[in-house]
Amino acid sequence: MRMRATARGWTAVWLVVLALVQAAAFLAVWRVAVHTEIGQWVDTVALTGNQIGHDRIDGPVDRILNAMSVVSLLAATAMIGFIALIRGRIALAVTATLLIAGANVSTQLLKYGLSRPDLGLDPERVAVGNSLPSGHTAVAASVAVALMLVLPPKVRAVGAFVGASYAAIAGVATLSAGWHRPSDAVAAYLVVGVWAALAGLVLLITQREQAQIAPGDAHRLAAILLGLAGVLALIASGLALTWLVDLRGTGPEALSRRALFVGYAGSAAGIAGTMALVMALVLTVVHRLVPRVKG
């Protein structure tokens, strides 16, 4: 019993650290991307670069984004709750629902509550105001993470890869369609990551002392591969945007096609890498939050 209490204590510490780190990362993204000239410039370059090859991907992008509605979100939430209930996990069903609701409600509150100064770098969208974080991206990411939580251990790793891919594609799609800046999608993933950590704490609190954790359910290899893919994508994004920053004295409309593509591709890599890393972090601890035997 003492060993069990110690394990739960360290898991709780890990979840608190995850929540705080992702919250701090969200604040950093908001401050740099929204309140600095270089941040707004990079976002604007990426949005300008999305016009490269836009005609070829316009149809699929619209289908992906238009599929995300209030009705589809409610249907997905109901399905996720149903999966948890048929597994006899009432607390998991409630917590997964709260994760989705909390992430999406807080995303909308942040979007309308945060300020975006006009630094004269994006006059075409100045009337839009603040668009961080992205609501569509939050929908996709919250559903993906919640689904991974409720899936049985045997298919959890597959669910993590499929869910991360889906959420990453949705985030990049908002950039490709010109609906959101890349920082909006990254911020949305971080909001979902914070809520995933909080949901984990709720599951840990409601977990019975007799719950048995199976080491084989840890999916360490899958978490490492997913995390490694995320880190590599973020490194590629950092290298691309570092090269791009050397051109910051040039307006986005005057940049070469190559520079615009680097801005777009580098931002897309950052979006995908962030989602992969968030999902990997959740996957590293989910087996302790949803044990095979409830007790």
Side-chain angles (χ1 to χ4, degrees), residues 92-113:
L92 180 59
V94 174
T95 305
T97 301
L98 290 176
L99 188 163
I100 295 173
N104 286 281
V105 170
S106 58
T107 293
Q108 296 303 319
L109 292 176
L110 287 167
K111 182 185 298 186
Y112 292 106

Side-chain angles (χ1 to χ4, degrees), residues 104-230:
N104 286 281
V105 170
S106 58
T107 293
Q108 296 303 319
L109 292 176
L110 287 167
K111 182 185 298 186
Y112 292 106
L114 296 177
S115 61
R116 181 182 180 84
D118 177 17
L119 303 181
L121 297 167
D122 193 8
E124 292 184 7
R125 303 174 184 86
V126 66
V128 176
N130 179 59
S131 58
L132 180 149
S134 164
H136 280 77
T137 305
V139 168
S142 60
V143 168
V145 172
L147 179 61
M148 192 268 292
L149 288 178
V150 303
L151 286 175
K154 289 184 179 180
V155 295
R156 188 176 287 153
V158 175
F161 277 97
V162 172
S165 299
Y166 164 70
I169 289 172
V172 174
T174 64
L175 171 62
S176 300
W179 289 15
H180 278 283
R181 304 170 177 93
S183 59
D184 300 348
V186 170
Y189 295 142
L190 294 171
V191 170
V192 172
V194 171
W195 276 96
L198 295 177
L201 286 172
V202 172
L203 289 173
L204 202 63
I205 292 171
T206 58
Q207 191 180 113
R208 298 177 182 177
E209 287 290 343
Q210 303 95 319
Q212 297 178 17
I213 297 171
D217 293 343
H219 297 298
R220 291 186 179 87
L221 179 59
I224 291 173
L225 291 176
L226 196 55
L228 182 61

